[in-house]
Amino acid sequence: RALPVEFVPIKFASWIGGDRDGNPNVTPKVTEEVVCNQRLRAAKLFLDEFNALYNELAISTRFSPEMEALAATITDSHDVLEKYRRVCGHMRKRLIKTIKDCELESERLTSKDSGVACEVGAVSQLSGWQNVKSVRTSEDLMEPLMIMYNSLTST
């Protein structure tokens, strides 16, 4: 029997930067730097996955009402007819924005290059990333993914 798609059987956690039970080297600033760097790494991984998903999606003409509504909220896209790609493309822009925000924050926190800068070669192809909101919560990723998943499996 398959697990529900939203089920999370394993959760990863880390104490890196959070070991503040007496370690004098782990200050609030260190924790903030670690969280920023981990957010940056996660955004890079998600961007890779959304790039792959964008390239794998086939053209479709059948969509759930929720998918139609979500795609209609994205007006700055060259994917006019390809609604799944429109949503994926928008998420790619949001992740690029997230990466850039994290890089700036990391530089501010460390007063130097973080060493984890992302090579965002697709930036020129995804113009408009400056005008979208960065990804801040897991729901920012899961909501559009679940809408696409439900649309793909129901139509």
Side-chain angles (χ1 to χ4, degrees), residues 77-147:
S77 173
H78 66 275
D79 293 307
V80 178
L81 299 176
E82 300 177 43
K83 295 178 183 178
Y84 293 115
R85 283 188 173 181
R86 186 184 319 169
V87 172
C88 277
H90 182 72
M91 292 307 300
R92 291 163 63 195
K93 289 178 186 181
R94 289 189 68 188
L95 287 164
I96 290 170
K97 172 75 168 171
T98 303
I99 289 165
K100 293 300 184 183
D101 287 353
C102 288
E103 288 174 343
L104 287 173
E105 181 67 7
S106 181
E107 288 176 22
R108 182 191 69 77
L109 290 168
T110 61
S111 300
K112 60 181 174 152
D113 183 18
S114 67
V116 291
C118 178
E119 296 178 22
V120 187
V123 170
S124 61
Q125 297 172 354
L126 294 173
S127 63
W129 62 265
Q130 303 91 334
N131 305 321
V132 298
K133 293 180 182 177
S134 61
V135 174
R136 301 294 301 178
T137 66
S138 59
E139 290 80 23
D140 287 345
L141 288 171
M142 287 305 297
E143 183 179 351
L145 285 171
M146 288 304 298
I147 289 172

Side-chain angles (χ1 to χ4, degrees), residues 61-72:
T61 57
R62 298 184 331 215
F63 308 98
S64 69
E66 295 81 9
M67 183 63 198
E68 293 274 7
L70 177 60

Side-chain angles (χ1 to χ4, degrees), residues 14 25-26 38 45 57 61 79 81 84 128 135 144-145 154:
S14 172
N25 297 315
V26 183
Q38 293 304 314
L45 291 171
L57 287 170
T61 57
D79 293 307
L81 299 176
Y84 293 115
V135 174
L145 285 171
S154 69

